[in-house]
């Protein structure tokens, strides 16, 4: 860390992770080494080795970091009230595919690879915890118990990711329709005073 403050070091590492992850998304995971990746990202290989032990370390750290940011980006779009649920559910699969489709495709290449599978398991356990906490934060606003909301969030996320990966409209729309109907039933059961039942 010579000549760098800790803040500068961390900022540079984040920049490297983001650019290299995007580089893998552009070039493909398999067959892309440090040198070709560095050239694509406008760095020299020695710069990458300053921050990461080897190619595997770069892949593991950049995937975890960048997909956590994608997750944050997704949740920033999420509604905090019943009135905004329907807009969000209709728009989010297309938004996800357009903004993060390449990243999701790369993530599944990484985490389905035998070499990185255990890192994927660890990452998704963290995702499960974070979405459960998000469901708890919505409980008061939506009037629906978080135990009911959590699996619905998972269904929506998986639907969005599947659409981002394959652009399968039939699968996506059928899942969204069932999700909406389930939410309508839960709102009617747990929060009937809102009277916001929107059926298309």
């Amino acid at each position: 860390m010579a000549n760098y403050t800790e803040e500068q070091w961390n900022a540079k590492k984040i920049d490297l992770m983001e650019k290299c992850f995007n580089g893998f998304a552009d070039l493909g995971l398999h067959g892309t080494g440090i040198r070709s990746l560095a050239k694509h990202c406008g760095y020299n290989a020695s710069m990458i080795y300053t921050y990461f032990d080897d190619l595997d370390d770069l892949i593991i750290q950049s995937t975890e970091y960048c997909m956590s940011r994608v997750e944050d980006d997704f949740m920033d779009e999420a509604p905090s009230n019943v009135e905004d649920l329907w807009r969000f559910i209709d728009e989010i699969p297309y938004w996800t595919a357009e903004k993060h489709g390449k990243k999701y495709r790369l993530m599944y290449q990484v985490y389905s690879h035998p070499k990185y599978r255990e890192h994927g398991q660890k990452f998704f356990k963290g995702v499960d915890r974070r979405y459960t906490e998000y469901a708890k934060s919505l409980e008061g606003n939506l009037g629906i118990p978080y135990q009911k909301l959590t699996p619905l969030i998972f269904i929506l996320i998986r639907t969005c990711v599947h659409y981002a990966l394959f652009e399968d409209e039939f699968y996506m729309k059928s899942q969204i329709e069932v999700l909406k109907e389930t939410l309508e039933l839960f709102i009617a059961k747990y929060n009937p005073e809102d009277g916001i039942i929107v059926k298309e």
Side-chain angles (χ1 to χ4, degrees), residues 90-155:
D90 284 334
E91 293 177 1
I92 199 65
Y94 299 103
W95 178 88
T96 302
E98 181 179 352
K99 188 163 185 182
H100 296 305
K102 285 198 308 183
K103 292 178 180 178
Y104 277 116
R105 288 190 287 274
L106 175 57
M107 178 191 73
Y108 275 91
Q109 286 183 60
V110 172
Y111 286 151
S112 63
H113 193 291
K115 188 187 289 187
Y116 310 121
R117 188 168 179 269
E118 67 178 274
H119 298 283
Q121 290 173 323
K122 179 182 175 184
F123 176 79
F124 283 108
K125 284 180 182 177
V127 169
D128 292 346
R129 287 193 299 272
R130 289 188 288 275
Y131 286 145
T132 300
E133 289 304 311
Y134 177 67
K136 289 179 180 178
S137 75
L138 287 180
E139 185 176 52
N141 292 328
L142 301 184
I144 300 172
Y146 82 88
Q147 296 93 335
K148 304 296 184 183
L149 287 171
T150 301
L152 299 185
I153 293 172
F154 291 151
I155 290 169

Side-chain angles (χ1 to χ4, degrees), residues 15-159:
D15 182 63
L16 276 167
M17 287 191 290
E18 290 176 341
K19 287 184 177 174
C20 288
F21 192 76
N22 287 328
F24 279 122
D26 292 337
L27 300 172
L29 180 65
H30 304 295
T32 300
I34 292 283
R35 288 184 181 179
S36 58
L37 184 66
K39 183 178 179 181
H40 179 80
C41 297
Y43 291 112
N44 57 55
S46 61
M47 171 66 76
I48 294 176
Y49 282 117
T50 300
Y51 290 85
F52 304 96
D53 296 337
D54 51 30
L55 185 63
D56 288 336
D57 186 39
L58 171 61
I59 290 170
I60 290 164
Q61 291 199 53
S62 64
T63 300
E64 181 179 0
Y65 176 80
C66 291
M67 293 314 298
S68 293
R69 299 289 71 77
V70 167
E71 183 186 325
D72 291 342
D73 205 13
F74 188 101
M75 297 316 294
D76 284 344
E77 295 293 313
S80 59
N81 56 65
V82 174
E83 291 84 351
D84 201 33
L85 271 175
W86 314 112
R87 175 207 60 81
F88 174 72
I89 291 171
D90 284 334
E91 293 177 1
I92 199 65
Y94 299 103
W95 178 88
T96 302
E98 181 179 352
K99 188 163 185 182
H100 296 305
K102 285 198 308 183
K103 292 178 180 178
Y104 277 116
R105 288 190 287 274
L106 175 57
M107 178 191 73
Y108 275 91
Q109 286 183 60
V110 172
Y111 286 151
S112 63
H113 193 291
K115 188 187 289 187
Y116 310 121
R117 188 168 179 269
E118 67 178 274
H119 298 283
Q121 290 173 323
K122 179 182 175 184
F123 176 79
F124 283 108
K125 284 180 182 177
V127 169
D128 292 346
R129 287 193 299 272
R130 289 188 288 275
Y131 286 145
T132 300
E133 289 304 311
Y134 177 67
K136 289 179 180 178
S137 75
L138 287 180
E139 185 176 52
N141 292 328
L142 301 184
I144 300 172
Y146 82 88
Q147 296 93 335
K148 304 296 184 183
L149 287 171
T150 301
L152 299 185
I153 293 172
F154 291 151
I155 290 169
L156 178 60
I157 298 296
R158 302 307 184 224
T159 298

